[in-house]
Amino acid sequence: MLIVSCPNCGITAEETEFHAHGEAHITRHAVGSSDDQMETYLFMRKNPKGVHFERWRHQYGCGKWFHMARCTMTLEVFGTYSAQTYSPPDDLLARIDARRPGWREAT
Amino acid sequence: MSDPVSALNNAHYGAGIAEVSELGAVGMITLRGDINTRGVQKGAVDVAGVKMPAPLHCVTDGSAGIAWMSPDELLIMCNYADVAKKLETLRGKTAKVHALAVNVSDARAVFELRGPHAREVLAKVAPVDLARDQFKSGMFRRTRIAQVPAAFWMPEEDVIRMVCFRSVAQYVFDVLSVASQPGSEVGYI
């Protein structure tokens, strides 16, 4: 079971209070994009064994969206961060580097 | 005018280790906006008649109260009969700021758990640490009760009040009744 901290309201709770909504930081190709880009946006998802960035929502709590970095193998939660960003914060990436050396090459 | 009828019409279960009661019609106003701005806070405080709560907390005084629901939402509680007037006042006071106030009284049901085992009953159905040194009077927690969303707070020790959607009132009452059935003390909290 994941223990998740919501960066919006500050509650730390177990995962049943939250809901996962898939991979984060996907570029939304829209009008004017090629078929390949559209396919990538709609269907192409990473399925890593290891570090994964996801969108989550505090479903039963404050109702806000946020991002989470976790390990799909050990279920370790590296951290959560604001939904209003295009990429993970540097301090979180540094924390993951320390916990999982070489993860960037693996994904 | 017709009388307001709450979801379960003051249903009560008193045969178990804690008393479960539906509290009848309670006035509730949802206020959304930037609740850190003075304009929104002042409107809420003036209408509710209690102080502004800290994040994750609520301030209640009898039937009056303000609860912190999320970073952009407050729940104002009052007597059912006063809602229309208070809503009008609140809309007037927040007219110049970006905020939205809606009467949600009839969309909700309010329950009370009372007795020395009230914490224990709630701990069976909510994923929240209800130890006496963790969940204290004045805190306000939005979470789930078994399978449905709800929020609760403790106006005083051994008394827990709970808000849920009206459509799931019967479910919440049944869940709490089962969780408080005679002989079901856990003895942990």
Side-chain angles (χ1 to χ4, degrees), chain A residues 53-84:
Chain A
F53 297 90
E54 294 170 335
R55 299 160 73 231
W56 281 70
R57 184 173 170 255
H58 197 176
Q59 188 97 334
Y60 291 103
C62 66
K64 302 290 177 211
W65 290 80
F66 58 93
H67 284 132
M68 177 157 94
R70 69 178 183 102
C71 177
T72 58
M73 187 169 66
T74 63
L75 300 188
E76 177 179 353
V77 176
F78 298 112
T80 55
Y81 52 102
S82 166
Q84 282 73 38

